[in-house]
Amino acid sequence: MKRENKTFDELQVGDTAELRRVCTADDLFVFATASGNHNPMHLPGYDLDNDGRKDEVTAPAMWVGSLISAVLGNILPGAGTLYRSQTLDFHARAKAGDDLVVRVRLSQKRPDGTVVFATTVHREEPVELLLSGEAVVAAPQVKLTYEEQDIPGLLVQRHRHFDALVARAEPLAPLTVAVVAPEEPNSLGGALLAARHTLITPILVGSRAKIEAAAKECGESLDGVEILDVADHTAASNMAVDLVADGRAGAVMKGHLHTDELLRAVLRKERGLRTGRRLTHIFVMDVPGLPHPLLVTDAAINIQPDLVTKIDIVQNAIDLAISLGIAQPKVGVLSAVETVNPQIASSVDAALLSKMAERGQIVGGMVDGPLAMDNAIDIAAARTKGIVSPVAGRAEVLVVPNLDAGNMLAKQLTYVSHAEGAGLVMGAKVPIILTSRADSAQARLASCAVAAIHQARIAGEAEARDA
């Protein structure tokens, strides 16, 4: 957009300009980051007036005031304007979602080259004065006509898909979860955080002394939480699986122990949790900028899966995606190429999985492959390659060739694209919540939400069949 400023000589008393702006939740995150003001009154997700609503977000008054500078610096007088002073009187509060109108009116020209503007900010609907004041600025002395700068965009590292999953899981009956060896602050804190959000009812299985020490370290209370004192990790894993076998728990959660110790108990022949389907790991990734969660599988269990294992990998991912609200998941089976090359085994497997889905051997989703990463998730890349498919460019599930590729992809999304990943193992009788010591509290919370939502769907379908 071409812009032109007004110099001091061109300005006339009575000149006016206005700017319209919608206040969004992302604006408030950006302002909190830039200003350092993290007052929860101004951030989504808090219910500070205890009315049960978390969507009534009050915009910081200084963010509203800062909009005046956008009119002065961009429109009137425009480029070259420098502030001398600004008064602000706040009459009402803006909230996320409000349509705001920012106006300035030139009221005085001074001999020293400064000018005075009356400034206001109104809410458009319902009409209400939010702010009034007076700005004194040094007006431009040099005439400038210029193209408005294409400044770099900002990526708000906000995980709205996980927020939605947690909100969806909170009204459900809490899922009773056997938490194995939550003997350090991260694993214990994640379970207790999920309990506070009413996602789970934890049964802590491990060394009582270590669990209590971890609770003290992270300032958590264990009041009302059941603890089964088992010092040995193998014994703790077996006891957690026994709780599921006995009907006391509906999921298992990994704490501070090795994954293989837990899975040995899950896969034992007596009182294990086998179903006849392979255990497979699924990351549910919340990637900023993507309009949907992205499922990546298998990144943690099956090292070099053969075709038979990949069938279960795909089917487990489809089942979980359906639980998360994706009616017909679009599954992209990844390879280095998007055409079948007999020299690249993953491309052959991908083509076979796609055909098996067409023939009903894999059900519930649309499966296509081989697809390279670009044309699996980017519609423009798919069109450039001439790929015509309901999956290409729109994949909601990515099936990787092996564990190396899956682990690298998930960690690239996490550390380069600022994604959060919830981890779940499918294929057992109940979900297995698999978290890492490096996981954030948000990732642990989302993992519990995903497990609770999936298990609620499975339970609901079982009740419907029994009825």
Side-chain angles (χ1 to χ4, degrees), residues 323-338:
S323 294
L324 299 183
I326 304 173
Q328 190 177 27
K330 293 180 279 293
V331 181
V333 188
L334 298 183
S335 182
V337 293
E338 60 278 345

Side-chain angles (χ1 to χ4, degrees), residues 194-416:
R196 285 198 297 275
H197 281 265
T198 70
L199 306 182
I200 69 171
T201 299
I203 301 175
L204 309 182
V205 187
S207 166
R208 178 182 290 274
K210 291 181 179 179
I211 292 171
E212 290 176 346
K216 183 177 181 180
E217 185 177 342
C218 60
E220 294 279 6
S221 171
L222 295 173
D223 291 346
V225 179
E226 183 176 0
I227 301 175
L228 301 180
D229 189 9
V230 184
D232 179 73
H233 285 175
T234 297
S237 299
N238 288 332
M239 181 173 288
V241 171
D242 286 341
L243 290 173
V244 175
D246 293 337
R248 288 198 57 204
V252 176
M253 183 174 182
K254 175 181 174 285
H256 190 58
L257 77 164
H258 293 296
T259 300
D260 57 355
E261 289 182 281
L262 176 59
L263 295 186
R264 274 198 296 270
V266 171
L267 293 172
R268 67 190 185 184
K269 292 183 179 179
E270 298 294 331
R271 292 169 63 80
L273 303 180
R274 293 172 181 263
T275 63
R277 191 181 288 182
R278 288 294 295 264
L279 296 188
T280 68
H281 179 268
I282 303 165
F283 271 123
V284 180
M285 309 294 298
D286 188 340
V287 186
L290 276 188
H292 55 77
L294 185 67
L295 281 65
V296 176
T297 187
D298 181 324
I301 292 182
N302 294 286
I303 298 172
Q304 197 69 42
D306 58 16
L307 180 63
V308 174
T309 302
K310 287 181 180 179
I311 294 170
D312 285 346
I313 288 173
V314 173
Q315 190 64 67
N316 284 341
I318 289 172
D319 291 348
L320 182 59
I322 290 172
S323 294
L324 299 183
I326 304 173
Q328 190 177 27
K330 293 180 279 293
V331 181
V333 188
L334 298 183
S335 182
V337 293
E338 60 278 345
T339 55
V340 178
N341 183 335
Q343 302 302 313
I344 303 177
S346 61
S347 74
V348 177
D349 284 353
L352 291 170
L353 291 166
S354 178
K355 180 56 69 175
M356 292 174 80
E358 287 182 17
R359 299 289 173 88
Q361 293 171 273
I362 299 171
V363 298
M366 293 181 286
V367 181
D368 194 15
L371 294 172
M373 181 67 182
D374 57 347
N375 47 62
I377 63 171
D378 186 89
I379 190 67
R383 288 171 178 164
T384 298
K385 295 288 183 70
I387 303 171
V388 180
S389 160
V391 174
R394 306 178 181 89
E396 295 147 333
V397 178
L398 298 178
V399 178
V400 298
N402 53 42
L403 186 145
D404 280 342
N407 195 274
M408 291 175 190
L409 174 57
K411 287 181 178 176
Q412 285 169 348
L413 291 172
T414 300
Y415 292 101
V416 178

Side-chain angles (χ1 to χ4, degrees), residues 161-170 172 175 194 199-200 251 282-286 293-295 316-317 319-325 420-426 431-434 442-458:
H161 303 308
F162 278 6
D163 291 344
L165 288 174
V166 171
R168 180 179 163 192
E170 284 178 333
L172 303 173
L175 177 64
L199 306 182
I200 69 171
I282 303 165
F283 271 123
V284 180
M285 309 294 298
D286 188 340
L294 185 67
L295 281 65
N316 284 341
D319 291 348
L320 182 59
I322 290 172
S323 294
L324 299 183
E420 288 277 12
L424 210 65
V425 174
M426 297 280 288
I432 300 167
I433 302 166
L434 206 61
Q442 176 78 352
R444 294 172 187 275
L445 187 64
S447 296
C448 292
V450 169
I453 291 168
H454 176 70
Q455 198 63 4
R457 179 177 78 88
I458 297 303

